[in-house]
Amino acid sequence: MIKIAPSLLAADMGDLRRSVADVEQAGADYLHLDVMDGTFVPNISYGAAVIKALRPGSALFFDVHLMVEEPGRFLADFAAAGADLLTVHYEACRHLHRVIQQIKALGLKAGVALNPATPVEVLTDILPEIDLLLLMSVNPGFGGQSFIPSSTAKIARAAALLQKAGSTAELEVDGGIYAGNAGQVIKAGANVLVSGTGVFGQPDWAAAIAGLRSAD
Ligand code: DX5
Ligand code: ZN
């Protein structure tokens, strides 16, 4: 089943609570929450306090994407805020295995994200430990960028790697996904599609989510 994870980064920052309620109503599967620290990526977004404030108003699965240097320092804060899954960047963790164990010890699902330049093979030895593999199809830091075309072949390589390892981890893709290119992302093997502008930037969010889900 294809899951759609609208990225709140593209929503109205002055009315986040309403955006979350409306996108849940519109059929979102996950809520993708982009946390940026201004060091790992050249932008700052929002942190655990904002996620905590949104939690009581939503039953959505909170898919938190930490674009944060050494995220191990903040995992407990995001768990307490109500995250369901924490995704950390391979490039941001000196001791990735330890960070993954810490996320799981907090009772949350654990994901690992890869930047466009990082090959999927670096995750070979950690695959049995993770619940989700997130491939960035743009360089992280900003919404509204263009999908990097070589991402499609990389998704297929990641899907093959997961299959070979007998992994049941989800394969999520993030960046520049719209109805027009969602089909190729799904065909390559992704099952969770993040979309910011492709949902919140559209006039009809329910139609946008349905369009992404059924794209071919
Ligand atoms: C980028 C973020 C994305 C972003 C996607 O650093 O990780 O989740 O919000 O936005 P769009 O779909 O507009 O490219
Ligand atoms: Zn993201």
Side-chain angles (χ1 to χ4, degrees):
M1 183 196 141
I2 302 301
K3 294 174 184 164
I4 306 302
S7 164
L8 199 62
L9 198 63
D12 177 355
M13 289 290 156
D15 207 353
L16 288 179
R17 196 173 280 165
R18 185 203 291 229
S19 296
V20 172
D22 287 354
V23 86
E24 184 166 2
Q25 194 65 31
D29 299 289
Y30 290 177
L31 184 69
H32 186 80
L33 294 148
D34 289 300
V35 177
M36 303 179 180
D37 68 351
T39 299
F40 180 66
V41 291
N43 197 8
I44 295 174
S45 56
Y46 42 72
V50 170
I51 294 172
K52 189 175 182 185
L54 295 173
R55 183 70 281 184
S58 176
L60 282 169
F61 183 90
F62 276 15
D63 159 24
V64 178
H65 178 190
L66 296 174
M67 285 161 276
V68 172
E69 199 63 39
E70 292 299 349
R73 298 174 291 158
F74 304 107
L75 301 174
D77 295 344
F78 286 98
D84 293 294
L85 173 140
L86 293 177
T87 295
V88 296
H89 269 261
Y90 167 82
E91 303 86 356
C93 299
R94 194 172 292 234
H95 298 288
L96 180 62
H97 187 278
R98 177 181 292 140
V99 173
I100 297 297
Q101 301 311 321
Q102 287 171 339
I103 294 172
K104 297 207 291 196
L106 288 163
L108 306 186
K109 293 199 166 174
V112 177
L114 297 180
N115 283 339
T118 307
V120 295
E121 290 73 19
V122 298
L123 296 182
T124 304
D125 291 302
I126 197 79
L127 278 187
E129 309 292 331
I130 67 175
D131 300 299
L132 179 140
L133 167 52
L134 170 55
L135 294 183
M136 292 307 303
S137 43
V138 298
N139 285 296
F142 303 94
Q145 303 180 80
S146 297
F147 183 87
I148 297 172
S150 59
S151 307
T152 309
K154 187 173 177 183
I155 297 164
R157 284 210 321 278
L161 194 73
L162 290 172
Q163 197 177 13
K164 192 171 158 212
S167 168
T168 54
E170 298 201 288
L171 182 51
E172 181 176 54
V173 182
D174 184 4
I177 298 180
Y178 295 85
N181 59 14
Q184 73 188 63
V185 170
I186 293 169
K187 242 174 246 146
N191 77 302
V192 185
L193 273 55
V194 176
S195 186
T197 320
V199 174
F200 289 106
Q202 308 304 311
D204 182 340
W205 298 355
I209 290 170
L212 288 165
R213 204 193 301 283
S214 62
D216 55 20

